[in-house]
Amino acid sequence: MTTHSDSSSTTDPPGDRVIELRLPSRLGYEKVAMDTASSLAKRMGFTQDRVDALRTAVSEAVTNAIEHGNDEQVAMKVFVLLMARGGELIVSVADQGLQVLSEERTLFAPKIEDALAGPERGGWGIWLIRELVDEVEFTTAPSGGNQVRMVIHLEQ
Amino acid sequence: MNSTSEHSFAISIELSLPSELGYEKVARDAIGAFARRIGFANERVEDLKTALSEACINAIEHGNQQAPGLRVSITCSYFDECLAIVIADQGKRPFAKPTHSATISEKIQGLANARGMGLSLIAGLVDEAGFIDHGGSEGNLFRMAIRKHPADIATGERAPIMD
């Protein structure tokens, strides 16, 4: 997608509709991903509360990619792939893997008491994503970076 | 946040969409969010979104001939207070400049196709617009540029379409 001539690099599987987005690793640009995801979700017929949940989940995933995976190096890209497939919307967010997300961190379940007692207030993003979408999977992207795949279903 | 010092170098995003009517709205929302993020005023953002819609519809309907499976790609780069956007189709039909541009009166009177005002509309909304001549073998490239602060405040004029 980096050149104009390779706009055929993505071919939609039959019935699927794919949107690709590449963003700079700078905080604030997660809003572009949020608005893109919500636009597609509305087009698919998701209710406003589901759209809002998706926006928050996408925001957390892209913010993690910018802050951690790409270490806020603006030249590093965040890759967002949105796929409308029947009654589900699949969103994959991948970074370039400057910091590797450990499996332990993807399973971390923070406690509000600990968060209030300690100096560290972060670490809620992955937990929040799990609460907001129907399916979450953490993998390694083909490029070697961290990748989170989130799915929301239309009927819920 | 000081957006001037923040963007002392080019910052860009890329978007690729199915070539299907309706997806221009996704492009509007994505690029509108980008323009807001880099500090464009709401009025400029709305102008940009309208111009982008027209350019995407042109790419889908004309360049790609609404053929299934094709894509529309959009690249946005912001540098020196100017946002440049290139919309690429896969060129099933190269852009051909019309031999006669019908007036609104002719359209209202039914003497010309009611549609076909997209390029004129775009020219009225952004600071620069036109097809990029690149040999035409790999699809049409349409470029628009919009400055954060309009250059036409004093004159009330906008740049014409460049062919």
Side-chain angles (χ1 to χ4, degrees):
Chain A
M1 205 170 64
T2 52
T3 63
H4 304 299
S5 60
D6 66 351
S7 55
S8 60
S9 61
T10 298
T11 301
D12 292 6
D16 293 351
R17 295 291 180 270
V18 178
I19 294 170
E20 293 178 298
L21 180 63
R22 289 188 187 195
L23 300 169
S25 289
R26 174 162 284 167
L27 288 175
Y29 288 93
E30 70 278 5
K31 291 174 185 166
V32 179
M34 292 164 69
D35 283 5
T36 307
S38 67
S39 185
L40 180 59
K42 286 177 192 167
R43 178 177 165 78
M44 292 176 68
F46 282 94
T47 58
Q48 189 60 52
D49 62 329
R50 297 288 284 164
V51 172
D52 290 341
L54 177 68
R55 286 178 62 87
T56 304
V58 168
S59 172
E60 291 295 335
V62 176
T63 301
N64 279 347
I66 292 171
E67 284 190 323
H68 304 300
N70 286 346
D71 203 19
E72 292 197 59
Q73 295 193 25
V74 71
M76 294 282 170
K77 293 292 184 184
V78 177
F79 308 94
V80 183
L81 189 145
L82 305 109
M83 183 183 293
R85 173 180 286 171
E88 64 184 19
L89 173 53
I90 303 162
V91 184
S92 293
V93 177
D95 58 47
Q96 295 190 250
L98 290 181
Q99 292 180 32
V100 177
L101 183 66
S102 68
E103 184 178 357
E104 179 188 11
R105 196 164 172 81
T106 67
L107 300 171
F108 177 64
K111 294 179 181 174
I112 188 71
E113 299 83 3
D114 296 341
L116 292 174
E120 179 57 62
R121 299 289 167 86
W124 288 78
I126 291 172
W127 174 84
L128 192 56
I129 292 170
R130 290 192 186 281
E131 292 294 309
L132 291 170
V133 299
D134 298 315
E135 298 174 34
V136 187
E137 182 183 22
F138 292 90
T139 57
T140 301
S143 60
N146 307 291
Q147 180 170 270
V148 55
R149 179 180 182 273
M150 302 171 285
V151 185
I152 59 169
H153 302 294
L154 197 52
E155 64 274 15
Q156 292 183 17
Chain B
M1 190 175 289
N2 185 332
S3 60
T4 301
S5 61
E6 185 190 11
H7 299 112
S8 55
F9 55 92
I11 196 154
S12 64
I13 66 167
E14 296 164 41
L15 180 67
S16 169
L17 304 159
S19 184
E20 196 172 306
L21 288 174
Y23 280 91
E24 75 279 1
K25 293 174 185 167
V26 179
R28 283 171 56 100
D29 290 337
I31 306 309
F34 181 65
R36 280 194 300 275
R37 173 63 182 84
I38 55 183
F40 275 64
N42 282 341
E43 183 186 358
R44 297 294 276 168
V45 173
E46 292 306 315
D47 285 352
L48 173 63
K49 287 167 70 175
T50 303
L52 180 65
S53 287
E54 291 295 331
C56 287
I57 290 169
N58 279 348
I60 294 168
E61 286 190 330
H62 301 300
N64 284 344
Q65 293 284 290
Q66 297 198 57
L70 298 187
R71 311 282 297 172
V72 174
S73 298
I74 302 167
T75 304
C76 293
S77 299
Y78 179 68
F79 179 68
D80 197 19
E81 306 259 297
C82 183
L83 179 57
I85 303 175
V86 176
I87 298 98
D89 61 45
Q90 292 183 260
K92 287 184 74 71
R93 188 175 110 180
F95 171 73
K97 187 179 179 183
T99 53
H100 167 68
S101 296
T103 64
I104 291 178
S105 298
E106 288 172 323
K107 290 174 182 291
I108 290 172
Q109 292 170 37
L111 301 175
N113 189 332
R115 300 192 62 194
M117 294 294 286
L119 293 179
S120 300
L121 180 59
I122 292 170
L125 293 169
V126 298
D127 297 302
E128 297 171 25
F131 284 91
I132 299 173
D133 184 0
H134 65 116
S137 60
E138 297 172 335
N140 302 295
L141 300 179
F142 185 76
R143 179 183 179 275
M144 307 186 298
I146 183 166
R147 285 184 280 275
K148 184 182 278 186
H149 307 291
D152 63 347
I153 286 178
T155 63
E157 295 176 354
R158 290 278 170 90
I161 281 277
M162 302 177 300
D163 291 317

